[in-house]
Amino acid sequence: MEHAGHGDAHGHDDAHGHDDDDHIHPEPTTFLSKYVFSVDHKVIAKQFLFAGLFWLAWGGVMAMVIRWQLGYPGRPVPVLGEFLWQENGGALPAYSYSSFFTMHGTIMIFFAITPIMIGAFGNFCIPLMIGARDMIFPKLNMYSFWAFFIASIIMMTGFFVPGGHAATGWTAYPTLSTTIGQPGHGMSLWALGIFVSGASTIMGAVNYITTVIRLRAPGMGYFKLPLTVWGLWLTSILNALFVPVIGSAGLLLLMDRLFGTTFFIAGSSIIQGQGDPILFQHLFWIFGHPEVYILILPAWGIISDLLAFFARKPAYGYKATVFSMAAICVLSVLVYGHHMFTTGMSPLLSQGFMTFTMLISVPSAILFLNWLATIWKGSLHFTSPMLFSLGVVFVFGLGGLTGMYLGNITTDIYLHDTYFVVGHFHFTMAAAVFLGSFASIYFWFPKMFGKMMITSLSKVHFWLTIVPLTYLFGAMHIVGYGGMSRRLFDLSRYEFLWHLQPLQTSISISAFLLGSAQFIFVFNFFYSLAYGKKAAQNPWAVGTLEWQIPTPVPHYNFAEIPLVYNGPHEMSRPDMTDRDWLAQDEPPPSTPAKRGEPEPTAEPVAAE
Ligand code: HEM
Ligand SMILES: [Cu+2]
């Protein structure tokens, strides 16, 4: 039996005097309004999840093809080769290689991780965790998903136009990304797709920011918010501030490509161009560096909660974690120049960027140490969400350490654009959000779909993911240190890299192991959707609000807007004997209100 909440409907107004009937939109009646054009945040969350998982698979397959070419240069690509590159004997052509890494990076960042971590879990978690009936702008929420859908169609079309998709790297630096470097429609569709997906993200950001400010349940002060909500809220603020910057850069690039302007085209390369390609790099990285935190902040917030839940201890340094995440958001725009140390920037400016970059490792370290202190001496439950959360701590730690060399001008000038960089951002950005996505899916799947996933499979999935992933991205640092640049098509042409080929092949093999391990997750996900064991209301026995309401969650979320008394991690309190968790909307045992009320029965953590 779970903690049942208070009385029936029509009780409390929310923190801003809204009657608790506010924001209840009528239960949809038609198939279209229920499953397609839904304004319900829970449905929109699932739409983003499925769309994101589709693109994650697509981006993943592209990574496998890239790794095949690097591990076995010039050899026919299994399965895909005979369909896509017959004229090249089934081997990946050089031009396609550039397009593959460009679109792999673009898809993973804008079309896979963004919809999964921000679109799906932002939508599902925020209203339920703050005690609201829905997002404050349900219609805008629906528009943000369909804008993402349109952006996906635009991006998909680029694969089928003559000349192929964008092939400039996900950074799309001009002059390469103008019609001088890349004629054809692929690059224009890339820029348009980024612009429209940006519009979707900004709509979502406005919704998330306003919902957290306006719709918190009574008693849900900012420092009672689960850290999941803090991560998503701070990410939305960065999205609202910086996605317009990449939007404007994309628009200017489109104008250069379609209307003959020369914003990014320097004088020498076309008749009297007045533009400057470096300007694009500034615009790109003013967005680009905050973007890496936009991707990781939700994962940081989520694992900060999950580590506490499964250590059965309050999160260590809750406020320090919040202020560190906020400090990183502020610093994130002051460090962007570390991506441009080799552009001939004035040393004074690059030293400024280097100093701030070194500085950002302070709040990052505080976050990291708070995670370690949270699990220290905890009664650890190694559930699948916990394993993947520990995986995030592990890979983020590794990635953070290697970031020091890239933030420092002297070492970065040598390591810039090598595989050391590729290994670094795959640890900090790719692996951490990848594992964070799985931690989130395994944790909220029971509440989202009312079913339990198969535990044994999820744990096999974890180990067959974390081991090859660590080798894959770790060894990339070694070939990078050995001098291998990124974005090279055929390593056999570079004699100084021949001695690294066996290592390259082993990196590719670990990538294939990682890729094949994901089939375990795919099976577990869809099998559990169809035949999974029915989930209890609160299988993890934790206190946040989404677990205090029935599974599946009713259309209106809360029968009555809850009254919040406690923080999100009230675990193992000395004044609690019957169980080791306290719900946020449950008066603490020591408060007089409790006396005389029937005692709820103890509920162990789901015995995964
Ligand atoms: C899951 C397994 C993955 C593997 C095996 C993988 C592999 C690779 C490789 C080999 C490259 C470099 C290509 C080159 O420079 O020659 C690359 C580039 C990249 N990857 Fe991944 N990746 C994976 C996942 C991800 C994820 C989850 C993300 C993002 C969140 C990501 C983002 C990127 C980006 C941004 C680039 C740079 C593309 C460019 O140079 O323009 N990758 N990846
Ligand atoms: Cu950066």
Side-chain angles (χ1 to χ4, degrees):
M1 179 190 79
E2 279 74 23
H3 160 66
H6 291 263
D8 56 3
H10 311 307
H12 307 282
D13 291 354
D14 70 17
H16 300 280
H18 292 135
D19 181 324
D20 74 347
D21 286 351
D22 278 6
H23 303 298
I24 291 186
H25 35 72
E27 184 118 20
T29 48
T30 65
F31 178 86
L32 267 185
S33 61
K34 195 167 185 177
Y35 296 109
V36 185
F37 299 112
S38 169
V39 292
D40 182 338
H41 73 100
K42 301 179 289 298
V43 175
I44 296 170
K46 290 173 189 165
Q47 291 175 318
F48 271 118
L49 182 64
F50 288 116
L53 287 174
F54 164 78
W55 279 117
L56 187 67
W58 189 302
V61 168
M62 295 188 96
M64 297 302 122
V65 173
I66 295 171
R67 285 300 340 164
W68 175 268
Q69 172 59 25
L70 293 167
Y72 307 94
R75 298 254 298 266
V77 180
V79 187
L80 289 176
E82 59 191 293
F83 295 109
L84 297 176
W85 304 295
Q86 265 161 359
E87 78 290 349
N88 198 42
L92 182 71
Y95 176 80
S96 302
Y97 182 82
S98 306
S99 188
F100 261 60
F101 64 66
T102 304
M103 292 318 297
H104 158 75
T106 303
I107 286 171
M108 283 300 196
I109 288 183
F110 294 103
F111 290 87
I113 299 296
T114 302
I116 293 175
M117 288 306 268
I118 304 172
F121 291 105
N123 252 304
F124 188 75
C125 297
I126 291 180
L128 293 179
M129 288 182 121
I130 69 172
R133 296 198 183 288
D134 207 311
M135 289 289 174
I136 196 158
F137 309 123
K139 278 215 182 70
L140 181 70
N141 207 11
M142 177 184 72
Y143 299 147
S144 87
F145 173 73
W146 287 103
F148 175 78
F149 186 83
I150 293 165
S152 296
I153 301 292
I154 295 170
M155 217 33 110
M156 189 82 80
T157 317
F159 286 104
F160 305 102
V161 293
H165 218 318
T168 56
W170 83 285
T171 47
Y173 287 174
T175 310
L176 193 57
S177 56
T178 66
T179 47
I180 299 165
Q182 198 182 329
H185 299 304
M187 192 70 220
S188 305
L189 287 165
W190 182 92
L192 186 63
I194 294 291
F195 186 82
V196 179
S197 75
S200 159
T201 302
I202 296 168
M203 289 188 225
V206 169
N207 222 336
Y208 293 8
I209 295 168
T210 321
T211 301
V212 171
I213 293 173
R214 303 289 304 165
L215 295 188
R216 281 167 294 113
M220 180 66 89
Y222 282 98
F223 289 117
K224 285 209 174 77
L225 287 171
L227 290 162
T228 300
V229 177
W230 269 108
L232 288 159
W233 194 54
L234 291 170
T235 265
S236 304
I237 294 171
L238 289 182
N239 267 329
L241 289 173
F242 297 111
V243 170
V245 180
I246 184 79
S248 58
L251 213 56
L252 296 178
L253 181 65
L254 266 178
M255 288 169 73
D256 277 8
R257 293 187 58 83
L258 303 176
F259 305 116
T261 55
T262 56
F263 291 104
F264 304 126
I265 299 174
S268 58
S269 56
I270 190 172
I271 44 172
Q272 304 314 314
Q274 302 88 2
D276 179 356
I278 301 289
L279 166 65
F280 181 92
Q281 294 195 27
H282 282 282
L283 291 175
F284 183 89
W285 287 115
I286 288 172
F287 154 80
H289 191 87
E291 171 66 5
V292 302
Y293 291 115
I294 285 169
L295 293 176
I296 194 75
L297 272 161
W300 281 347
I302 289 168
I303 67 155
S304 300
D305 280 339
L306 298 191
L307 291 171
F309 292 157
F310 295 112
R312 311 309 287 173
K313 275 176 59 178
Y316 184 88
Y318 173 98
K319 283 196 176 155
T321 294
V322 170
F323 291 131
S324 298
M325 292 203 285
I328 288 170
C329 289
V330 174
L331 285 167
S332 73
V333 72
L334 301 174
V335 299
Y336 81 86
H338 63 222
H339 294 273
M340 298 167 65
F341 284 152
T342 58
T343 56
M345 179 191 285
S346 91
L348 194 62
L349 190 58
S350 45
Q351 277 163 15
F353 282 124
M354 174 173 80
T355 310
F356 280 120
T357 304
M358 290 301 150
L359 209 56
I360 214 168
S361 49
V362 175
S364 311
I366 292 173
L367 269 183
F368 190 79
L369 295 171
N370 280 354
W371 293 329
L372 297 186
T374 300
I375 56 178
W376 177 250
K377 291 196 173 162
S379 56
L380 304 184
H381 289 81
F382 292 105
T383 59
S384 36
M386 181 60 158
L387 287 174
F388 278 92
S389 301
L390 292 168
V392 173
V393 175
F394 175 66
V395 294
F396 186 72
L398 288 176
L401 288 175
T402 58
M404 306 293 245
Y405 304 95
L406 301 173
N408 196 307
I409 301 168
T410 41
T411 37
D412 182 66
I413 286 179
Y414 170 72
L415 294 168
H416 185 71
D417 264 359
T418 70
Y419 255 77
F420 194 96
V421 176
V422 178
H424 163 73
F425 73 67
H426 275 91
F427 264 148
T428 45
M429 178 185 67
V433 290
F434 192 60
L435 298 171
S437 306
F438 287 125
S440 313
I441 294 170
Y442 283 123
F443 184 69
W444 278 292
F445 186 95
K447 192 51 81 175
M448 261 178 139
F449 300 105
K451 306 266 178 74
M452 296 301 287
M453 291 180 83
I454 305 166
T455 314
S456 51
L457 287 181
S458 59
K459 292 191 175 171
V460 173
H461 173 226
F462 172 73
W463 289 109
L464 290 184
T465 294
I466 193 83
V467 174
L469 179 145
T470 307
Y471 180 82
L472 160 64
F473 299 136
M476 281 182 178
H477 290 82
I478 301 171
V479 290
Y481 191 68
M484 182 190 156
S485 295
R486 61 193 292 191
R487 297 171 175 164
L488 289 182
F489 166 60
D490 182 356
L491 307 176
S492 61
R493 294 189 194 165
Y494 307 92
E495 193 174 337
F496 77 97
L497 292 175
W498 286 358
H499 69 290
L500 292 174
Q501 190 54 48
L503 189 55
Q504 277 301 343
T505 310
S506 71
I507 294 175
S508 295
I509 292 168
S510 63
F512 304 146
L513 285 175
L514 172 66
S516 27
Q518 304 321 306
F519 287 105
I520 300 170
F521 167 78
V522 173
F523 170 77
N524 195 354
F525 186 86
F526 289 103
Y527 180 87
S528 305
L529 261 185
Y531 310 106
K533 201 180 77 194
K534 189 172 172 342
Q537 172 176 313
N538 188 0
W540 312 118
V542 295
T544 43
L545 296 177
E546 78 273 29
W547 300 105
Q548 314 317 317
I549 51 179
T551 297
V553 180
H555 171 71
Y556 48 78
N557 292 0
F558 299 90
E560 177 199 327
I561 296 292
L563 183 58
V564 173
Y565 300 88
N566 315 307
H569 316 118
E570 292 297 326
M571 295 281 187
S572 310
R573 292 167 55 112
D575 59 357
M576 289 197 69
T577 47
D578 58 318
R579 58 191 148 92
D580 68 349
W581 63 276
L582 187 67
Q584 287 201 266
D585 62 344
E586 184 182 359
S590 48
T591 56
K594 180 91 185 140
R595 279 192 202 87
E597 278 198 8
E599 292 293 325
T601 53
E603 182 75 34
V605 175
E608 269 208 337

